[in-house]
Amino acid sequence: MKKALFLFIILPILLFADEYKKVTLQLNWLNQFQFAGYYVAKEKGFYKDVGLDVDIKEYTFNTDLVNSIKTKKADFAIGRSSLLIEKAKGEDVVALGAIFQESPLMLLVRKDSHIVSVRDLKDKKIMITPDAAFSASLLAMLSANGLNKNDFTIQRHSFKLDDLISRNTDAMASYLSNEPINLDEKEIKYKIFKPKDYGFDFYSDILFTSNSFIINNPKITKDFYEASIKGWKYAFEHKAETAEIIYKKYNSQNKSYIHLIKEGEILEKLAYANNTDIGDISNKKLQSIFNVFKLFGLVKNDIDIDSFIYDENPHKTMNLEISPAKQKLFFIILFFIIIVFLIVLFILKKNKQLKEQLQTVIDATDDFILYKDNKFRYLGCNKSFEKFVGKKKPEIIGKNDFELFSKEYAKLFRKRDMEAINLNSIQINHECVIYENKKIILQSKVIPFKYKKTKKEGILAICRDITELHEAHEKLKKEAYHDELTNIFNRKAFNERIEEKFDLYYRYKNEFCIAMYDIDDFKYINDTFGHDIGDRVLIDMTKYIKQHIRKTDFIFRVGGEEFVILFPKTLLEEALVVIEKIRVDVSNMNLVENKKVTISIGITQVRENDTPASIYERIDKLMYVSKHEGKNRTSKD
């Protein structure tokens, strides 16, 4: 009997223990927002949803990331673009996805150092890691600006920001998501030099494993990758909650809550850089990175880039936030434009008369059309571009952007041109410029092309004003979450925010209060004084209430004259003081001539076992209690 009872108790436990497959993820640095997506996937149960029990290992200074995969101490790890070097050495590494499309690595200088360009680093001290693979993008940036290793002094990196502050070094290799935040907190002004601005665009934080692991565990690999990406998207959509998770459970560096949020804001931009999605890897971009490693002698043999990329990676190179129908139309138009202008360029070399006729055709378009040689000097353009520059074609031909535009615009245009040449692919960018004394958004398509008998590679650019399309998109985005009349959040926004508050409440017991108010006799106001007066009452009252609640509180219009106020991290008695003052102040406002306008309110605090539906139903009933008991009063529960 005892044995049977033992098996009855123990057997389900053993079965449950085997339910989740244990896997290990090795990080490449200490815990911080840099790895937020993995923490979130673990804490929110995304890994468990696909049957995985994930152990996240923090980096130690003797950790060899590739070897940890090779020796099976870890199933997955986080690496850098230098994994391509390991691949070239014959190591079995496969990149599942690149979390940061743009590397946070850059050079940091004090603003009062009078170093305003990369060239100014000549004869200066630069604190940089001796790892050539890690610092290749920085060295490439210096080299592209005419500096070789003999032109500056390389100091071994101390990883102490005080060395820059106290001027023990002139420039320091740093991360966008770390040192600049610390300087901001110390109110020390600084300047940064990013390799990407000079055409050297590296990936960072590449999630990788081995091909042998993928072959033996295809489902685990796919499930882990997808759950991790889901975690990253959630982390960036809920940065405050994510920062709180890291602050409480993964804060080995003792970073402040605010510092973690700032890290998240910076890293989000890097994750979605170049209009791509989190995790996407481009084989063309990897080839460009590999070419930089070859330039510095870090690799000799070529590799099959495609075999380095996980088969399930989307391989996306562009993500346009427009409808599928418009995307299809866009690509048809883009294809047509490319064909037309390749034909134009071919015919221009053959026949002067046809050249003049075709020039008339391209002059007829409002798009800016231009083409440059391999040194980015202008070979030709159309009338619209002449108007944009403010010069005639003879004054443009043979010049470069730095001779025609402000330094800001010149750097912007040079950056996009270099990307097209380095990646040898069409680059699509969105650029904000001033044209005819107003700010417009240009969508530029930069196309590498061969010209003349030398077959040197220049660029063809077609720029279109998409300001109206962009504004329409932003307007639709705003309308989705805002009430058009009062310009506050709407019911949809309330539904999402209340879900967040409940999630924080059940995880961390973050108390909150919620109040609903309704304008008394609003139908009478509309019927007697007209809808224009009714609308004015809604606008003026909302404006007043919004000014008299905290910035951390939220106000929503959930119905015609019904509104909800959400008080985060607030107890009932505290919220009641605020809401009662609002009720009294509203009754004393002169919103309608010869008519006193009042509101009836219901207010409550979140309770154990509450749901968004139950708390909403409770404040709705409390508000109607106030109505039935004479109006212009507050009912609490």
Side-chain angles (χ1 to χ4, degrees):
M1 182 66 183
K2 288 183 179 179
K3 288 183 178 179
L5 183 61
F6 176 80
L7 288 173
F8 180 77
I9 295 171
I10 296 300
L11 188 58
I13 296 173
L14 294 174
L15 290 172
F16 182 79
D18 290 336
E19 182 180 349
Y20 298 107
K21 174 67 178 177
K22 289 186 177 294
V23 296
T24 301
L25 170 66
Q26 176 63 59
L27 305 181
N28 64 347
W29 194 243
L30 306 179
N31 287 328
Q32 53 192 8
F33 209 104
Q34 181 182 350
F35 310 108
Y38 307 110
Y39 307 142
V40 166
K42 182 178 176 74
E43 299 300 325
K44 300 293 292 186
F46 299 158
Y47 289 137
K48 286 201 171 181
D49 289 343
V50 292
L52 299 178
D53 180 10
V54 178
D55 178 26
I56 301 175
K57 285 188 175 180
E58 193 173 15
Y59 181 82
T60 59
F61 288 97
N62 59 354
T63 301
D64 184 326
L65 296 166
V66 174
N67 192 55
S68 68
I69 296 293
K70 189 175 181 178
T71 58
K72 299 182 180 180
K73 291 180 181 178
D75 302 299
F76 304 95
I78 312 299
R80 301 185 178 91
S81 295
S82 54
L83 285 170
L84 287 166
I85 300 173
E86 302 297 333
K87 179 75 173 176
K89 291 178 181 176
E91 296 290 352
D92 180 13
V93 288
V94 176
L96 302 182
I99 301 306
F100 301 123
Q101 300 295 310
E102 180 182 329
S103 172
L105 185 64
M106 49 78 184
L107 283 180
L108 183 68
V109 301
R110 288 184 59 129
K111 191 144 191 180
D112 57 9
S113 67
H114 305 298
I115 299 172
V116 296
S117 71
V118 175
R119 287 187 177 87
D120 293 335
L121 290 168
K122 186 173 183 179
D123 300 324
K124 301 294 185 183
K125 295 176 290 185
I126 303 176
M127 190 169 280
I128 196 168
T129 173
D131 181 355
F134 178 66
S135 58
S137 62
L138 297 177
L139 295 173
M141 175 180 67
L142 292 164
S143 178
N145 283 271
L147 301 179
N148 59 47
K149 288 187 177 180
N150 297 323
D151 292 325
F152 49 86
T153 303
I154 294 181
Q155 296 175 300
R156 188 175 184 84
H157 211 304
S158 67
F159 298 99
K160 295 178 181 177
L161 187 58
D162 283 342
D163 282 327
L164 181 68
I165 295 172
S166 59
R167 305 181 195 277
N168 291 331
T169 189
D170 299 302
M172 175 180 283
S174 306
Y175 262 36
L176 280 170
S177 54
N178 281 328
E179 287 81 2
I181 297 175
N182 292 327
L183 290 180
D184 285 335
E185 290 172 352
K186 296 175 183 291
E187 296 184 347
I188 297 174
K189 293 184 179 180
Y190 56 87
K191 184 174 179 61
I192 61 177
F193 299 109
K194 295 190 293 183
K196 186 186 175 185
D197 291 341
Y198 299 87
F200 304 102
D201 190 8
F202 280 32
Y203 288 122
S204 184
D205 283 40
I206 297 175
L207 177 62
F208 75 99
T209 185
S210 65
N211 189 53
S212 60
F213 183 87
I214 295 172
I215 292 171
N216 294 324
N217 305 278
K219 186 176 185 305
I220 289 175
T221 304
K222 188 172 187 293
D223 289 343
F224 179 82
Y225 176 71
E226 291 178 349
S228 298
I229 295 300
K230 183 179 179 182
W232 273 109
K233 290 181 177 179
Y234 187 95
F236 287 133
E237 289 169 3
H238 306 82
K239 287 188 283 294
E241 179 187 349
T242 302
E244 194 164 358
I245 290 172
I246 299 170
Y247 182 75
K248 290 184 176 179
K249 301 193 70 174
Y250 299 92
N251 198 11
S252 54
Q253 298 190 71
N254 295 317
K255 295 192 174 186
S256 70
Y257 175 70
I258 297 300
H259 187 109
L260 289 168
I261 289 180
K262 289 179 180 178
E263 276 187 31
E265 290 171 347
I266 293 169
L267 292 173
E268 181 179 22
K269 294 175 183 176
L270 301 181
Y272 289 107
N274 306 322
N275 292 321
T276 55
D277 204 358
I278 297 176
D280 290 350
I281 297 181
S282 162
N283 53 2
K284 290 183 179 179
K285 181 170 177 177
L286 285 175
Q287 185 63 60
S288 178
I289 296 168
F290 190 77
N291 291 342
V292 174
F293 291 143
K294 286 185 74 174
L295 178 68
F296 284 91
L298 299 174
V299 291
K300 294 180 180 178
N301 302 322
D302 288 331
I303 63 171
D304 179 5
I305 295 291
D306 283 337
S307 69
F308 177 70
I309 307 174
Y310 179 44
D311 287 340
E312 296 291 333
N313 188 279
H315 292 268
K316 294 178 183 173
T317 57
M318 185 166 50
N319 179 25
L320 298 177
E321 296 183 349
I322 53 179
S323 67
K326 286 183 178 178
Q327 286 187 35
K328 186 175 181 181
L329 178 62
F330 168 79
F331 284 110
I332 291 171
I333 293 171
L334 177 60
F335 178 78
F336 175 78
I337 290 172
I338 293 169
I339 295 298
V340 167
F341 283 99
L342 287 176
I343 293 171
V344 168
L345 292 171
F346 175 78
I347 295 175
L348 283 173
K349 296 188 291 185
K350 300 294 183 183
N351 191 299
K352 184 177 179 181
Q353 185 179 2
L354 283 176
K355 178 180 176 181
E356 292 173 354
Q357 292 173 350
L358 290 167
Q359 185 66 42
T360 302
V361 173
I362 67 171
D363 281 342
T365 180
D366 290 332
D367 294 347
F368 304 155
I369 300 172
L370 54 112
Y371 40 104
K372 305 176 186 177
D373 64 16
N374 65 322
K375 293 184 178 178
F376 306 112
R377 293 174 302 202
Y378 284 89
L379 296 172
C381 63
N382 68 346
K383 292 289 186 186
S384 295
F385 187 72
E386 288 182 42
K387 189 177 179 182
F388 172 62
V389 179
K391 296 180 183 293
K392 293 295 182 182
K393 189 182 296 184
E395 299 175 273
I396 297 173
I397 304 301
K399 301 282 180 62
N400 63 39
D401 290 316
F402 287 92
E403 295 172 294
L404 296 174
F405 298 103
S406 66
K407 187 177 180 180
E408 178 187 1
Y409 283 1
K411 285 177 67 176
L412 181 69
F413 300 152
R414 177 62 57 87
K415 174 186 168 187
R416 76 175 184 200
D417 294 347
M418 288 185 69
E419 285 178 350
I421 294 292
N422 289 336
L423 298 177
N424 193 28
S425 64
I426 297 170
Q427 297 297 305
I428 298 177
N429 296 284
H430 293 89
E431 297 150 353
C432 187
V433 299
I434 301 298
Y435 180 50
E436 294 184 332
N437 297 319
K438 66 178 181 180
K439 186 181 289 186
I440 66 168
I441 297 173
L442 289 179
Q443 182 186 70
S444 63
K445 307 170 191 70
V446 184
I447 309 158
F449 80 101
K450 305 287 185 183
Y451 66 96
K452 293 187 177 180
K453 292 180 181 179
T454 58
K455 293 187 177 179
K456 291 181 178 178
E457 194 168 65
I459 63 102
L460 164 69
I462 305 157
C463 307
R464 173 163 295 176
D465 182 358
I466 60 164
T467 309
E468 290 185 6
L469 180 64
H470 177 78
E471 288 174 350
H473 174 70
E474 291 298 312
K475 184 180 178 184
L476 286 173
K477 232 163 83 173
K478 183 177 180 182
E479 287 174 353
Y481 289 95
H482 284 77
D483 174 57
E484 186 177 0
L485 179 65
T486 58
N487 199 32
I488 60 172
F489 290 121
N490 60 15
R491 181 64 179 265
K492 181 179 180 181
F494 168 74
N495 290 339
E496 291 190 10
R497 194 54 57 92
I498 195 70
E499 290 283 355
E500 289 179 12
K501 293 305 169 193
F502 268 100
D503 188 55
L504 289 171
Y505 173 70
Y506 283 118
R507 281 184 173 275
Y508 311 113
K509 289 301 175 187
N510 285 355
E511 303 282 353
F512 67 89
C513 289
I514 184 170
M516 174 183 283
Y517 68 86
D518 180 273
I519 301 174
D520 297 327
D521 304 317
F522 190 69
K523 185 177 184 303
Y524 171 81
I525 294 172
N526 272 334
D527 292 345
T528 305
F529 300 97
H531 288 277
D532 287 345
I533 297 299
D535 287 350
R536 179 47 56 190
V537 168
L538 292 171
I539 294 168
D540 290 347
M541 185 184 296
T542 302
K543 184 177 180 182
Y544 171 81
I545 293 175
K546 191 175 180 181
Q547 291 173 343
H548 287 78
I549 57 176
R550 300 172 303 184
K551 289 183 179 180
T552 53
D553 300 331
F554 301 94
I555 182 170
F556 310 84
R557 187 182 182 190
V558 296
E561 64 269 20
E562 288 185 353
F563 296 78
V564 167
I565 302 177
L566 193 56
F567 299 95
K569 295 184 179 180
T570 308
L571 300 178
L572 183 59
E573 294 307 316
E574 297 170 323
L576 189 61
V577 172
V578 177
I579 208 70
E580 269 293 277
K581 184 178 186 307
I582 288 172
R583 181 187 64 79
V584 172
D585 288 350
V586 167
S587 68
N588 291 326
M589 292 174 69
N590 186 24
L591 294 168
V592 180
E593 192 173 351
N594 299 323
K595 166 66 180 170
K596 184 176 182 179
V597 180
T598 61
I599 55 176
S600 295
I601 307 171
I603 186 170
T604 190
Q605 183 176 323
V606 65
R607 300 173 182 170
E608 198 69 38
N609 301 322
D610 252 338
T611 65
S614 69
I615 198 169
Y616 189 88
E617 182 181 358
R618 189 158 71 249
I619 58 167
D620 188 53
K621 287 180 179 178
L622 287 166
M623 186 264 290
Y624 276 103
V625 168
S626 297
K627 289 273 189 189
H628 294 148
E629 290 185 356
K631 303 176 185 177
N632 189 22
R633 62 186 63 212
T634 300
S635 299
K636 67 173 183 176
D637 183 10

